[in-house]
Amino acid sequence: MNFLAIVSAAMPQLLYGARLTIWFSIAAIILATILGLIFALFKLSSIQLLRKIGEVYVHIFRGLPLLVEIFYIYFALPMVLPMHRWFDPYFAPVAGVIALALNEGAYITEIIRAGILSVDRGQTEAALSIGMNGFQTMRFIVLPQAFKRMIPPLVNQFIQTIKDTSLLSAISLSELTRQGQIVISTTFASLQIWTAVAAIYLAVILSLTALSSYMERRLQIDKR
Amino acid sequence: MISVKEITKHFGKHMVLKNISVEIAPREVVVIIGPSGSGKSTFLRCLNGLETVSSGQITINGVEITHSKTNLSLVRKEVGMVFQRFNLFHHLSVMENITIGPRQVLKMEREEAEKRAYALLDKVGLREKAHAYPDELSGGQQQRVAIARALAMNPIVMLFDEPTSALDPEMVGEVLAVMKELAREGMTMVVVTHEMGFAREVGDRVLFMDEGCILEEGTPDQLFNNPREERTKLFLSKIL
């Protein structure tokens, strides 16, 4: 069989995997961004307890290999907490997405924190001086300016998240990498299938990159 | 209107304000001068709670802002502040800079807020810049917008923290002109500045600060022409 014939025969299975990869990525990115925003605000809080919670979160989830986190939540935690029963029969995807989100969220925490800190203190003072409260100052003055500067490192992190979904193959989730392995186990066409898998990952990531450069242009990121 | 009683302020071990007391009457224009590091700006920033005092009391219009239970946001919307470095919101147009306070804090309707913003822009002579962004304006124009932004909240007192110090010399006049106009309209103003001409022309009272104390105070005429303290004479001889 030639290259194209092998790949096109495997394509339905690979695309099924690609679809799951995209869904896992979207879910993990949304959750990780929410976690990142919450813990960034914790780390910048004037309340010491919240700052400590934020620090511990980042230290733990940035400090462990993602694969260990995935195994821990999927295999170890159910030993003490019957999570697998709560989410049955979807525990594997739920555990996978949670592990991913917690890990990427730790990095996003630091990206968002750095973005907020990069906004001149005078902006906050001016907002407070016209009677805005802390929430309004963050919402209308600081975050919009911080957000533009956070886009490039956030896009980096989102790309990382998409690639990291491949580790979910280790808990038998049928995402793209896992589907590739399955196809190869019956066809033995390593070169052809891994080439196709790589091409699909690249296509997904390049479309995210294109989307982000469009957004950067729209938001005129080069301007303040 | 503003009553300051024996306030002190420490930054760590360093004492920046030492036992300052001062009363400011409605419609009064008080100018604060003094060498850098004398605590002028810190004092001004205590008046709207951007700095917290270590001890003492500040009362504005009957509200004790140094009380721990006071909601500072409520006080600040009545106390306008103009900064040395303008601090316009870079991501908002001139119009949005002026209307965001009234709309978010005073919950004013957009049309009403914009109508008032245009009136304020007329006052500072920048109506045609309503849709420009701060970075497209000169320093003098930015500072005039900053004054309009503070006025949009209808404050009962305006604080100016060296409003012309970051400006090119040819732009100082346009900002001072707006401030003089405000003073003539009867706005209560506390102005930290090195502009002695402004102090003489519109100041009702001048405070000379040095090393965290109000060393001397008086009318502009008294303080500039007949200073009592040696330290004041020395300072004036260097800047006049």
Side-chain angles (χ1 to χ4, degrees):
Chain A
M1 276 211 285
N2 67 29
F3 186 94
L4 275 180
I6 293 171
V7 168
S8 61
M11 214 24 114
Q13 270 173 290
L14 294 184
L15 285 181
Y16 173 82
R19 220 172 61 208
L20 281 188
T21 288
I22 290 171
W23 280 119
F24 292 153
S25 302
I26 291 174
I29 283 171
I30 291 173
L31 263 178
T33 307
I34 294 170
L35 287 172
L37 182 60
I38 292 171
F39 286 107
L41 292 174
F42 274 20
K43 284 193 82 169
L44 293 167
S45 165
S46 54
I47 301 164
Q48 201 195 1
L49 178 68
L50 293 184
R51 283 204 306 272
K52 282 280 170 240
I53 292 174
E55 276 168 31
V56 169
Y57 166 71
V58 171
H59 283 153
I60 291 180
F61 288 96
R62 196 178 55 183
L64 291 170
L66 176 54
L67 191 54
V68 171
E69 292 172 2
I70 293 169
F71 285 161
Y72 202 92
I73 289 173
Y74 184 64
F75 294 119
L77 268 191
M79 299 288 178
V80 287
L81 203 69
M83 295 163 63
H84 53 301
R85 272 190 237 124
W86 306 340
F87 294 107
D88 191 62
Y90 301 108
F91 182 53
V94 168
V97 166
I98 289 177
L100 255 181
L102 285 168
N103 178 277
E104 313 292 342
Y107 292 93
I108 292 178
T109 296
E110 292 300 81
I111 292 173
I112 293 181
R113 188 171 71 97
I116 290 174
L117 286 176
S118 76
V119 176
D120 179 23
R121 171 98 192 120
Q123 297 286 301
T124 301
E125 293 186 347
L128 293 175
S129 81
I130 55 173
M132 286 195 187
N133 59 35
F135 173 80
Q136 290 168 326
T137 301
M138 216 16 114
R139 160 79 180 78
F140 296 109
I141 305 304
V142 178
L143 281 181
Q145 296 186 60
F147 180 66
K148 280 188 186 180
R149 301 176 203 179
M150 292 183 306
I151 291 177
L154 276 181
V155 169
N156 257 346
Q157 199 58 42
F158 294 165
I159 288 172
Q160 188 67 46
T161 309
I162 295 173
K163 294 187 297 184
D164 284 347
T165 56
S166 63
L167 289 174
L168 298 178
S169 61
I171 54 171
S172 303
L173 285 171
S174 324
E175 44 66 66
L176 182 53
T177 302
R178 176 77 185 148
Q179 289 297 85
Q181 288 173 325
I182 291 171
V183 174
I184 292 165
S185 68
T186 55
T187 62
F188 305 104
S190 264
L191 174 67
Q192 294 85 340
I193 300 302
W194 284 126
T195 304
V197 166
I200 296 174
Y201 272 118
L202 208 54
V204 171
I205 283 163
L206 289 182
S207 25
L208 175 68
T209 315
L211 181 72
S212 80
S213 9
Y214 170 76
M215 267 181 66
E216 289 193 16
R217 274 197 309 276
R218 278 288 302 271
L219 290 169
Q220 297 187 301
I221 200 168
D222 49 327
K223 293 191 184 154
R224 291 214 281 185
Chain B
M1 161 133 330
I2 300 181
S3 167
V4 178
K5 286 203 184 87
E6 296 176 353
I7 61 164
T8 60
K9 169 75 183 171
H10 303 269
F11 282 127
K13 279 188 179 163
H14 183 56
M15 205 168 183
V16 219
L17 298 178
K18 300 171 187 163
N19 227 10
I20 291 188
S21 296
V22 67
E23 298 284 329
I24 294 167
R27 305 176 75 85
E28 195 177 14
V29 176
V30 174
V31 177
I32 304 176
I33 61 170
S36 60
S38 59
K40 301 168 300 206
S41 287
T42 307
F43 173 67
L44 197 73
R45 291 159 57 86
C46 285
L47 294 182
N48 70 348
L50 279 183
E51 300 282 357
T52 52
V53 299
S54 307
S55 69
Q57 289 172 359
I58 299 173
T59 310
I60 295 181
N61 222 17
V63 181
E64 192 195 325
I65 69 164
T66 39
H67 195 282
S68 61
K69 295 245 169 67
T70 301
N71 183 345
L72 280 176
S73 301
L74 296 180
V75 178
R76 288 183 184 131
K77 65 183 188 189
E78 305 206 299
V79 181
M81 183 150 193
V82 174
F83 299 87
Q84 182 175 357
R85 288 177 51 244
F86 329 134
N87 295 348
L88 289 181
F89 306 130
H90 301 295
H91 63 307
L92 300 179
S93 69
V94 165
M95 177 52 79
E96 291 163 331
N97 263 278
I98 299 174
T99 55
I100 193 162
R103 291 191 62 201
Q104 297 301 334
V105 179
L106 305 178
K107 309 293 177 199
M108 197 182 283
E109 293 296 325
R110 174 198 281 268
E111 296 87 88
E112 169 76 0
E114 292 192 347
K115 209 175 86 190
R116 288 172 29 119
Y118 276 120
L120 289 167
L121 283 172
D122 281 337
K123 189 184 185 108
V124 299
L126 288 171
R127 174 181 269 266
E128 76 284 2
K129 296 291 184 187
H131 300 291
Y133 278 80
D135 292 359
E136 299 160 7
L137 304 181
S138 72
Q141 290 171 332
Q142 286 191 56
Q143 193 62 300
R144 285 187 280 155
V145 172
I147 294 173
R149 175 179 68 181
L151 290 175
M153 298 298 292
N154 245 337
I156 54 173
V157 52
M158 286 281 285
L159 310 176
F160 293 85
D161 187 5
E162 302 202 27
T164 57
S165 300
L167 297 177
D168 289 336
E170 75 267 27
M171 290 169 186
V172 169
E174 62 192 65
V175 171
L176 290 180
V178 171
M179 292 170 62
K180 285 174 191 168
E181 175 65 23
L182 262 185
R184 268 192 290 274
E185 288 169 7
M187 176 62 80
T188 309
M189 295 164 65
V190 184
V191 186
V192 172
T193 188
H194 296 298
E195 294 296 329
M196 299 305 145
F198 173 83
R200 274 180 206 275
E201 194 179 328
V202 298
D204 295 308
R205 190 153 46 121
V206 181
L207 310 181
F208 175 70
M209 281 186 72
D210 189 37
E211 295 183 350
C213 302
I214 296 177
L215 204 61
E216 184 167 356
E217 65 170 281
T219 63
D221 185 48
Q222 282 167 352
L223 201 113
F224 290 129
N225 299 336
N226 291 303
R228 288 188 319 265
E229 304 281 338
E230 279 309 312
R231 188 70 191 81
T232 317
K233 286 178 194 160
L234 187 66
F235 176 74
L236 291 174
S237 70
K238 280 180 186 160
I239 59 162
L240 288 182

